[in-house]
Amino acid sequence: MKQLTETQQLKELIAQYRSEGRTIGFVPTMGFLHEGHLTLVEKASKENDIVVMSIFVNPTQFGPGEDYEAYPRDLKRDARLAEQAGADVLFTPSPSDMYKGEQNVAVQVKRRTDVLCGASRVGHFDGVATVLTKFFNLVKPTRAYFGLKDAQQAAVVDGLIEDFFMDIELVAVDTVREEDGLAKSSRNVYLTEQERKEAPMIYKALQQGAELIKDGERNPETVIKTVTDIIENTSGVIDYAELYAYPELTPLKTLNGKVILACAVQFSKARLIDNIIIDIDEWERS
Ligand code: PAF
């Protein structure tokens, strides 16, 4: 695995791959890798000639008071895991290389961001879309891989690729879970022992909500009440529990089509998010 830290080095390497006609799978991350990330690398490795992973804790997607400084980092361990999973190139740029001097342009996301995490993290998805535009221009990927745990992020990237005519296939990959159902996340390390025991209730609550929909419930409020009632039995505080059309993230009076049932729960030091995407039409057909 080649390990590069400078944007110029990466540009030269990518130019070489492209001149050789190789396909490139790109897995952007902020590091502190877990199985969720490694699943993306493994899939990318099956579907492309070359896999590029980036590790970059992107300052522009953190708001004031968020955990930019405290975000867990362990590059040595990450490099070993990335290589084992099949990454060919690990790109770990510095903030000053990614954001050289004062920026002339930043991407502003106009839709799909006023709900879920976007509602409480103002500007977050502008930072994500800006850094991904930079990465996409550097890596020139054939395919880019995103986990569906961050389904709103995947919806924003879908819009970015479409609106800016980017010649990239977005591959959205199912959430990887612990045995008890808890979605894998770099932030799980912040949970106390007791919170770690309670956290799987989040997915259980979403599953109960999904079951209700499967059984024919079409009123979003009834489904959300079921989900919140279950999560309220934990010590976590619900930030949101919501249902929207997916990937548009628009509200629905009556559930139909593809929908996302999503929630965010704040524990003492960790804010956990999770979701289930349900294709109601498909369920009704089967
Ligand atoms: O999902 C993440 O880790 C980040 O938002 C991403 C996509 C790497 C952009 O910084």
Side-chain angles (χ1 to χ4, degrees):
M1 184 179 74
K2 294 184 203 313
Q3 212 169 318
L4 307 181
T5 56
E6 283 169 30
T7 50
Q8 189 52 36
Q9 295 172 314
L10 183 71
K11 280 172 99 163
E12 285 162 22
L13 185 63
I14 295 294
Q16 183 199 318
Y17 290 146
R18 287 179 66 88
S19 71
E20 293 164 356
R22 305 221 226 175
T23 56
I24 300 172
F26 177 44
V27 182
T29 80
M30 298 208 299
F32 213 70
L33 304 179
H34 52 70
E35 251 174 84
H37 299 113
L38 303 176
T39 305
L40 301 182
V41 175
E42 281 156 16
K43 190 163 166 58
S45 165
K46 285 193 193 114
E47 296 174 354
N48 303 275
D49 300 325
I50 297 290
V51 177
V52 177
M53 172 187 267
S54 62
I55 294 182
F56 180 64
V57 184
N58 172 35
T60 65
Q61 67 188 74
F62 289 82
E66 288 188 357
D67 59 348
Y68 173 67
E69 299 294 343
Y71 196 86
R73 294 160 168 90
D74 190 345
L75 190 52
K76 223 166 146 191
R77 173 181 163 276
D78 285 351
R80 184 170 37 81
L81 293 174
E83 182 161 28
Q84 280 167 5
D88 301 289
V89 180
L90 180 62
F91 179 50
T92 59
S94 64
S96 59
D97 197 2
M98 285 301 284
Y99 293 96
K100 287 189 180 70
E102 211 169 299
Q103 298 290 285
N104 298 301
V105 178
V107 180
Q108 189 186 8
V109 186
K110 300 225 180 221
R111 299 183 65 207
R112 306 180 178 187
T113 55
D114 55 345
V115 296
L116 305 178
C117 290
S120 53
R121 299 187 75 189
V122 177
H124 167 72
F125 286 111
D126 293 350
V128 171
T130 300
V131 81
L132 286 177
T133 303
K134 287 171 180 273
F135 276 126
F136 288 164
N137 283 324
L138 287 167
V139 178
K140 299 184 169 61
T142 318
R143 299 180 186 85
Y145 293 77
F146 291 86
L148 275 171
K149 186 170 87 66
D150 286 334
Q152 185 170 26
Q153 174 166 275
V156 167
V157 177
D158 173 66
L160 175 72
I161 289 175
E162 189 182 325
D163 285 7
F164 288 177
F165 308 106
M166 292 174 172
D167 201 6
I168 300 169
E169 184 189 332
L170 166 66
V171 185
V173 181
D174 284 343
T175 303
V176 179
R177 299 182 179 281
E178 304 287 354
E179 266 180 24
D180 57 14
L182 175 65
K184 298 223 180 198
S185 162
S186 306
R187 291 191 168 101
N188 290 350
V189 293
Y190 297 148
L191 293 168
T192 65
E193 209 176 306
Q194 174 59 26
E195 288 170 348
R196 176 62 191 81
K197 285 189 189 140
E198 295 172 1
M201 290 303 280
I202 297 173
Y203 185 51
K204 289 203 174 75
L206 293 173
Q207 283 178 307
Q208 285 283 328
E211 273 306 308
L212 269 187
I213 299 173
K214 209 170 194 172
D215 291 344
E217 182 58 63
R218 294 291 176 266
N219 181 347
E221 279 166 28
T222 312
V223 178
I224 288 164
K225 172 132 185 22
T226 301
V227 172
T228 51
D229 282 352
I230 297 172
I231 299 176
E232 273 165 4
N233 288 319
T234 73
S235 58
V237 177
I238 299 173
D239 183 359
Y240 62 74
E242 293 166 11
L243 249 170
Y244 295 107
Y246 191 81
E248 300 80 6
L249 301 184
T250 45
L252 291 161
K253 283 205 172 84
T254 304
L255 299 175
N256 67 86
K258 204 178 210 186
V259 300
I260 181 167
L261 174 57
C263 65
V265 181
Q266 181 69 54
F267 285 94
S268 56
K269 285 203 188 116
R271 181 176 175 279
L272 304 186
I273 58 168
D274 203 352
N275 70 78
I276 293 185
I277 294 172
I278 303 152
D279 192 334
I280 297 176
D281 294 344
E282 202 170 277
W283 274 7
E284 282 175 346
R285 276 195 299 273
S286 63

